[in-house]
Amino acid sequence: MPKITFIELEAQAEHILDAEVGMSLMEVARNGGIAGIPGDCGGACICGTCHVHIAQAWRERIGPATDIEVATMEFSEDVRPESRLGCQIRITDDLDGLVVTVPSS
Ligand code: FES
């Protein structure tokens, strides 16, 4: 089971969660009680409340945000080149060790 590290900037906390293959990163965060990732639209890519920053070492493997993600993040705060929407990232075994940061908002 891949392990994903979530760093919560506001709480200055780090959580390592077991992630089920096939779930989205947003679902892993929500199930694990990560603050700042409510996933209000349930993964439909319309709310932007699953915004995360991908750690530098993982950016190439995860890839850039799609056009629809970029449009959805238009009103999000602290959008960077490493920004992605967690609902659009599907957990695979290859993502074991992934590190993401939850932006302050
Ligand atoms: S959960 Fe709404 S955009 Fe990801």
Side-chain angles (χ1 to χ4, degrees):
M1 193 172 262
K3 294 192 182 302
I4 311 292
T5 298
F6 291 88
I7 299 170
E8 295 179 273
L9 287 182
E10 284 189 359
Q12 296 187 335
E14 183 176 304
H15 307 274
I16 300 174
L17 300 180
D18 290 322
E20 198 171 308
V21 170
M23 294 179 79
S24 72
L25 187 66
M26 176 276 287
E27 291 169 322
V28 173
R30 206 164 61 172
N31 291 352
I34 302 297
I37 306 185
D40 288 342
C41 74
C45 200
I46 56 175
C47 71
T49 63
C50 60
H51 176 205
V52 295
H53 295 154
I54 306 296
Q56 176 68 35
W58 287 88
R59 284 176 60 185
E60 191 171 330
R61 193 173 320 181
I62 297 294
T66 62
D67 289 347
I68 189 167
E69 285 177 77
V70 170
T72 299
M73 290 188 285
E74 188 175 349
F75 300 105
S76 298
E77 293 184 27
D78 200 10
V79 175
R80 306 175 185 182
E82 62 266 36
S83 289
R84 289 293 311 265
L85 292 177
C87 67
Q88 302 303 301
I89 298 172
R90 197 60 52 187
I91 300 298
T92 64
D93 285 324
D94 287 348
L95 297 190
D96 185 34
L98 173 65
V99 178
V100 302
T101 300
V102 183
S104 301
S105 59

